Amino acid sequence: SARESYPVFLSFQDTLGLQVGWAWRGLVDAFRWDIAVRLITRNVEVRGNALKSFILNGISLLSVYVFDLFLHPLAQEQPPQKWLHRSISWFYRVLWLLPVVGVSLYLNASWCSLVAKRTFTLRHGLAFPYAGMTSTTSPNAYIAFLNSLATSAYRAVMIAMCVFLSFALGYVPVVGGIAEAIFFCWVNAYYCFEFIWIARGLSLSRRIRYLEERWMYFFAFGLPSALLCMWGSTLANAALFALIFPSYIIMAVHAHPVPSDPYNPSPRAPSPDPTSSSAPIMHPSPYIPIRLRIFASVIFINDCIVSVLSLCTGRRSGTRPRAFSPDQAGGTSEKMEGGAGDGVELRPLRRGPALRQTMAARRKFD
């Protein structure tokens, strides 16, 4: 019985072949421009919001290039007689460039949300649910305000930490540029899939776990946009990503991330026991990680913020705040972040011996 309960692993070559296949699937899904163009041209609502996003982000990108190619070189001249040139460059940046880019990124989030909602409805035939906390679940307005603050804090810290880590990786000698590009692949893929994950009821920790357990697919999906948005200045790269963001949201809604179960990626393996009714679970090779903790530092900072906010909530309501774990279903962090105490699995397994073996193996791997 002990021998039968011991997990069965695929070979290193087979696991590597599966990873390469998942990466190819991610690249294919990231180049489905035909789906994006077809939906934008055929649906009025998607076309209107995408067109507004294209126009405003195009203006932002043009403004950035005007500054980088014409005004920034003037600001580099140091003789006193060129003070007017430096002043023009400074005024252009403060009075035009930064406000336009800021407004563009702010409005782009709203328009992309509408594009995601309409695309999700057309794709799955369901209304796009809102996963945020509402005041009906809070005993008073103060706790509702803290819940809303925690939800905003999660996203703000996520963006801030990603920007900080990207800059930090860029300063690493020799491999800094490559590490920064690789990290940006996962960051871009995360934001492209974030809308559909929220629609499925996944909290932040579950969304990150879903990406980290399929790290090869999402690395390949985010590779084209990362390579496209790494050749200019910081503002130019941000404006360019905002320009193509609506199209990648449409591709993400129509994508099929693989594998469906990263702990049992080859469920059709033949059973060694002819009398057995179910095939054994074939786990990937232990030499290739199943879950790559890409956003571990982001989760740590987010949980620190949520712990502080939950402590304030507990003192206000007179209840004792509970300890939490970022991967614990129903934990404080997940309830505070998105109201997804019982997150929805994308493709749940059937109950039975196979499910029990998979859950036991997952605890061993974690």
Side-chain angles (χ1 to χ4, degrees), residues 94-111:
V94 174
L95 299 180
W96 174 255
L97 185 58
L98 293 180
V100 168
V101 174
V103 172
S104 175
L105 295 178
Y106 175 78
L107 294 178
N108 194 68
S110 176
W111 293 332

Side-chain angles (χ1 to χ4, degrees), residues 142-165:
Y142 178 78
I143 297 179
F145 170 75
L146 288 181
N147 291 337
S148 176
L149 182 63
T151 303
S152 302
Y154 261 97
R155 186 174 182 87
V157 171
M158 181 77 177
I159 297 175
M161 285 300 299
C162 289
V163 173
F164 173 78
L165 288 178

Side-chain angles (χ1 to χ4, degrees), residues 43-55 57 107-108 110-116 118 246:
N43 188 268
V44 178
E45 184 177 353
V46 175
R47 182 172 63 250
N49 290 284
L51 185 60
K52 289 186 291 186
S53 177
F54 292 155
I55 294 175
N57 290 299
L107 294 178
N108 194 68
S110 176
W111 293 332
C112 288
S113 178
L114 296 176
V115 170
R118 185 57 180 170

Side-chain angles (χ1 to χ4, degrees), residues 61 64-65 68 97-98 101 105 163 166-167 180 184 229-242:
L61 189 61
V64 171
Y65 281 130
D68 290 340
L97 185 58
L98 293 180
V101 174
L105 295 178
V163 173
S166 63
F167 279 111
E180 182 182 5
F184 261 119
C229 302
M230 289 196 64
W231 301 105
S233 62
T234 303
L235 290 178
N237 294 335
L240 184 57
F241 180 75

